[in-house]
Amino acid sequence: MVAKEAAGRARPGRAPAPAGRRARPRQAEVARLAGVSQATVSLVLSGRDLATGRPISAETRAKVLDAAHSLGYVPDPAASRLAAARNNLLGVFSFTATFPTDVRHSYYPFLVGVEQEAAAQGYDLVLFTGSSTGGAGAGGAGALNRVRLADGCLFLGRHAPADALRRLVADDFPVVHVGRRDEPEGLAWVGADYVSASREVVTALAGLGHRRVLLVREDDDAPASTDRERGFLDGLAASGLPAGPDAVFRSGDPRGDLTADRVRAWVADGVTAFVAEETDTGAAWRALRAAVDAAGLDCPGQVSLALLGSPPADLADGPAPMGFDIPRPALGAEAVRLLATRIAGGPAEGTLVACAFRAGATAGPPAVP
C-alpha cells in the first residue's frame, strides 16, 4: 500500500523542477537523494524490477519515487528508447518525385490511415524526404539508408527500387510496401485487390449489353497496372467477350497517342465501352476523356466509359465514372498494423484489401447501331 500511495503522488514529471534549476535532473541525483544505487533507481523508474523477478521493497520504491518527485525528474525519452533498442518511430518514404502535400492528392488518404493507426499503436511518424531530391533514383541510396533510424518503414509508390528494398529485406529490417509487390522475396506488402475489382467492372459493362470493351493503360509493368489488366481480361473471358491483344491499348504517352480519330475508328469497329486504369498521374483517364470529347461522342449515350479506380482530384467535379473506390485509409492503417507485427518479429506477409464497386454515371447500354 505504501508503494502504491507513493507511486500515485510521485509520478515522474508531475512536479516542476526546483526553482533555479536549468538542467534535467539525472538518475544519479535521484539515487543520492534516495540513498540507493543508481541501478536501483533505474529498475524502479522503469518497472524492470517486477518484470525481471528482482522485486524491490515497498519502502525502497517509495524512497526512489519521492526523490524523483521532489527533483522533478522526467525520464529522457531518447535514452529510454535506446535502452529498449527501439525508437517507437515508424518511417514513411514516398517514391514519388515530390512528397504529397495537397489534401486532394491520391496519397493523402493513405497518410491519413497511416497517421491514425500509428497513433493507436503508440508510434510516432518520421517522413523521409529523399524523394523530393531524386528519391531512390540517382543519389537515393543515402535516403533509403536513413530509414534505419526508425524501427521500421512504410514505402509508397508504383516504382520502388528492387535492389534497395532487397538490401533492407536481407538485413531483416522491418519494411512494408503499400501496394502489391512480387519482388523482392520476403517483402511484406499491403495492396488493393485490383484483379477482383477490375473483373467486376467488366462484368457490369457486359451486363449492360456491351460486347466490345477496350482497356486503355500506361505502358509499364507496375504490379498495380498488371493486376488491373489481368482482372479486365478475366472479366472479358468470364463474360464471353473478345479478350485477345486487341482488347488492350498500351501507351507510353496516352495524351499523344489517344486521338479523336483513333477513338472514332475503334467505335466504327464495334467498340462501345472504354475502360482506363488509374495511376498517380491519371494520364490514361485524362487522355481518354479528352479524345472522346474531341471526337464529339456523347457519354454514356454513344459510348460508355469506366475507370479502374477514382478520377484525379481536378476531374472529380464531373459525373462519377463507373469503376471502383480504393480504400486508401484502410490500406494505410493495415500497413501500419503489419509493420508493427514485423517489428515485433512477425512474418512478412502480403495482404489484399477489397475495393468497393461504383456504378457511376458514365456507363449505360450500348447505342443502337
Side-chain angles (χ1 to χ4, degrees):
M1 180 64 72
V2 174
K4 289 184 178 180
E5 291 176 353
R9 67 174 184 271
R11 290 182 185 175
R14 277 288 179 88
R21 174 182 289 281
R22 294 182 179 179
R24 178 196 297 268
R26 298 173 299 175
Q27 286 190 1
E29 297 174 71
V30 176
R32 283 195 295 271
L33 183 59
V36 299
S37 69
Q38 186 172 341
T40 297
V41 171
S42 178
L43 288 171
V44 170
L45 296 182
S46 66
R48 284 183 289 128
D49 62 315
L50 301 175
T52 58
R54 298 172 57 185
I56 293 174
S57 69
E59 182 181 0
T60 300
R61 286 181 61 83
K63 287 181 179 179
V64 170
L65 294 172
D66 282 339
H69 177 78
S70 64
L71 291 173
Y73 173 81
V74 178
D76 183 343
S80 300
R81 288 169 177 172
L82 284 173
R86 293 212 184 141
N87 296 315
N88 285 353
L89 299 176
L90 300 184
V92 179
F93 193 104
S94 167
F95 292 105
T96 52
T98 304
F99 198 86
T101 55
D102 189 338
V103 297
R104 298 177 303 171
H105 194 287
S106 61
Y107 278 5
Y108 178 78
F110 285 122
L111 299 175
V112 170
V114 167
E115 180 189 25
Q116 291 176 342
E117 186 61 26
Q121 296 273 351
Y123 285 98
D124 292 316
L125 294 176
V126 178
L127 305 182
F128 290 96
T129 58
S131 52
S132 64
T133 56
L144 282 179
N145 285 333
R146 290 197 298 275
V147 305
R148 297 173 187 266
L149 294 171
D151 297 331
C153 191
L154 301 175
F155 291 102
L156 296 90
R158 286 166 60 87
H159 300 292
D163 289 343
L165 288 179
R166 190 175 293 110
R167 286 193 294 271
L168 291 172
V169 171
D171 292 342
D172 201 29
F173 180 75
V175 171
V176 172
H177 188 270
V178 181
R180 187 186 70 78
R181 287 191 65 88
D182 295 324
E183 294 289 340
E185 184 177 357
L187 173 67
W189 54 264
V190 173
D193 188 357
Y194 294 132
V195 175
S196 298
S198 299
R199 184 189 304 119
E200 187 174 6
V201 171
V202 175
T203 301
L205 289 171
L208 290 171
H210 294 279
R211 312 320 298 165
R212 284 285 307 277
V213 184
L214 179 76
L215 171 66
V216 177
R217 56 160 294 188
E218 294 186 36
D219 188 16
D220 65 42
D221 293 319
S225 294
T226 57
D227 282 356
R228 285 180 169 96
E229 180 174 331
R230 175 186 161 195
F232 173 82
L233 294 175
D234 285 353
L236 291 180
S239 302
L241 305 184
D246 291 340
V248 179
F249 177 73
R250 294 173 62 128
S251 172
D253 179 20
R255 200 62 186 257
D257 294 338
L258 200 60
T259 64
D261 287 341
R262 189 183 291 271
V263 168
R264 290 193 193 98
W266 279 324
V267 171
D269 198 35
V271 175
T272 58
F274 295 89
V275 178
E277 68 162 341
E278 178 194 356
T279 63
D280 297 344
T281 63
W285 179 247
R286 294 176 192 278
L288 179 60
R289 289 306 307 257
V292 168
D293 289 344
L297 296 172
D298 176 67
C299 171
Q302 294 174 286
V303 294
S304 289
L305 302 180
L307 174 62
L308 303 182
S310 301
D314 58 316
L315 300 181
D317 293 336
M322 172 183 278
F324 56 79
D325 294 315
I326 303 168
R328 289 183 169 90
L331 283 166
E334 182 63 26
V336 171
R337 287 191 286 269
L338 181 55
L339 184 56
T341 299
R342 290 286 296 118
I343 292 171
E349 299 176 330
T351 301
L352 286 177
V353 179
C355 300
F357 175 75
R358 182 184 62 243
T362 60
V368 177

